[in-house]
């Protein structure tokens, strides 16, 4: 049985001061042992948010990481840095990073090695754009992203990862994928994992859906067989997030 996980992706929102206000608003409402809850916040918010979350079950995540431990990489943050301040998860290969910051399947692959080597859980994002959906090259796109991301990743390491299916056309648009559309792709992700590894391994890996998840549509999305939770952007910045975490 895979435990549901709800991941908040604050993106580039909330100053350190504002981050504490948001944590204050949500903390008690989303502190649960029933599901895993992770706040992926901007780098400068990590330390204050870590303190504010002390004594709760809520986990802390980053939205990116560099693939080396240290060195001449101006402006970057390393896995040991994140680990030391209490991060447990890192979002990798978000489509916004792929679109604006040259993230590729190759760097995603490097970052998967880097995170698992430092005992951080990578949340690996994949998804098709609107053009690909219109041309019905959805599953091919997803399979290719997964295969490249997992190049040379061992059985042991793949079981420490999780995936998020985030169709680009659904991110921040208010137009979520339907539960059936999301299930179809999440199932395809599990399928490719089963082909590359085995069914047992594929069945233990958590696969999330992301893209305009709200308190209103979460129940039908999370009811789907291969959807193990959500990666939530816009709705994670307000009280609606508590509804998503409490979603039955
Ligand atoms: P959204 O973002 O919930 O605002 O659509 C999701 C994401 O990009 O992770």
């Amino acid at each position: 049985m895979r435990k549901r996980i709800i991941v908040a992706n604050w993106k580039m929102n909330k100053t350190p001061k504002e981050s504490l206000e948001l944590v204050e608003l949500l903390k008690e409402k989303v502190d649960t042992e029933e599901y895993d809850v992770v706040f992926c916040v901007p780098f400068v918010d990590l330390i204050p948010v870590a303190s504010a979350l002390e004594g709760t079950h809520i986990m802390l995540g980053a939205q990116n990481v560099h693939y080396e431990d240290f060195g001449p990489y101006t402006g970057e943050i390393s896995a040991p840095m994140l680990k030391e301040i209490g991060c447990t998860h890192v979002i990798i290969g978000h489509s916004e990073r792929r679109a604006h910051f040259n993230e590729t399947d190759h760097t995603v692959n490097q970052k998967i090695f880097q995170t698992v080597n430092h005992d951080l859980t990578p949340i690996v994002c994949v998804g098709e754009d609107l053009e690909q959906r219109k041309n019905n090259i959805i599953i091919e796109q997803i399979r290719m992203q997964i295969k490249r991301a997992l190049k040379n990743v061992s059985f042991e390491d793949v079981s420490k990862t999780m995936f998020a299916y985030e169709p680009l056309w659904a991110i921040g648009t208010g137009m979520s994928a339907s539960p059936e559309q999301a299930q179809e792709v999440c199932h395809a992700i599990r399928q490719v994992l089963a082909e590359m590894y085995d069914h047992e391994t594929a069945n233990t890996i958590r696969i999330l859906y992301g893209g305009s998840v709200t308190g209103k549509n979460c129940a039908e999305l999370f009811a789907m067989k291969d959807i193990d939770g959500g990666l939530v952007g816009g709705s994670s910045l307000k009280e609606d997030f508590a509804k998503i975490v409490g979603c039955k």
Side-chain angles (χ1 to χ4, degrees):
M1 186 67 185
R2 299 180 296 267
K3 190 176 185 180
R4 184 185 293 173
I5 174 165
I6 314 293
V7 181
N9 176 11
W10 289 8
K11 310 194 179 184
M12 195 177 73
N13 293 291
K14 305 295 172 188
T15 66
K17 208 169 138 199
E18 291 166 348
S19 75
L20 292 178
E21 290 162 14
L22 182 56
V23 170
E24 226 26 69
L25 173 77
L26 292 172
K27 184 162 86 168
E28 280 174 20
K29 300 186 180 85
V30 305
D31 182 15
T32 172
E33 276 186 287
E34 194 176 356
Y35 308 126
D36 287 338
V37 178
V38 187
F39 285 2
C40 293
V41 307
F43 287 133
V44 294
D45 297 347
L46 285 168
I47 292 174
V49 169
S51 306
L53 293 179
E54 257 175 44
T56 74
H57 300 97
I58 305 164
M59 293 177 275
L60 188 66
Q63 301 170 12
N64 184 33
V65 66
H66 195 265
Y67 49 79
E68 294 286 352
D69 281 358
F70 59 87
Y73 301 102
T74 303
E76 290 293 309
I77 297 285
S78 73
M81 294 172 188
L82 295 176
K83 190 71 197 166
E84 188 174 308
I85 60 168
C87 280
T88 51
H89 293 71
V90 186
I91 297 172
I92 300 216
H94 190 282
S95 62
E96 288 153 13
R97 294 213 58 85
R98 293 180 191 252
H100 307 302
F101 304 102
N102 298 325
E103 191 85 74
T104 63
D105 291 329
H106 177 62
T107 56
V108 169
N109 177 253
Q110 291 174 299
K111 291 176 182 190
I112 290 176
F113 283 109
Q114 183 66 355
T115 44
V116 297
N117 286 342
H118 287 280
D119 199 23
L120 290 160
T121 301
I123 303 165
V124 182
C125 300
V126 294
E128 83 286 358
D129 63 24
L130 192 57
E131 186 79 9
Q132 289 166 324
R133 177 151 288 263
K134 280 185 184 152
N135 292 317
N136 198 24
I137 46 174
I138 306 156
I139 305 298
E140 288 94 320
Q141 158 75 0
I142 302 296
R143 288 177 62 89
M144 195 168 67
Q145 284 182 320
I146 302 259
K147 284 189 174 177
R148 288 180 174 158
L150 291 176
K151 190 174 172 201
N152 297 329
V153 173
S154 66
F155 267 74
E156 198 192 332
D157 284 347
V158 78
S159 53
K160 298 174 187 161
T161 66
M162 51 182 83
F163 290 86
Y165 167 50
E166 294 211 315
L168 274 62
W169 47 272
I171 296 176
T173 59
M175 199 173 77
S176 167
S178 70
E180 293 73 24
Q181 287 172 327
Q183 162 62 23
E184 185 193 5
V185 180
C186 290
H187 178 72
I189 294 173
R190 209 174 297 289
Q191 193 86 33
V192 71
L193 292 172
E195 286 166 24
M196 293 176 74
Y197 300 89
D198 58 28
H199 282 283
E200 205 188 330
T201 306
N203 282 334
T204 60
I205 295 175
R206 286 184 282 182
I207 302 172
L208 317 184
Y209 166 75
S212 298
V213 176
T214 65
K216 283 212 175 80
N217 63 19
C218 58
E220 45 181 11
L221 286 163
F222 298 168
M224 304 311 283
K225 191 166 168 278
D226 288 294
I227 301 179
D228 304 314
L231 178 54
V232 186
S235 298
S236 72
L237 298 167
K238 45 192 186 189
E239 230 174 314
D240 201 30
F241 190 65
K243 278 207 194 115
I244 297 172
V245 171
C247 185
K248 295 287 172 200

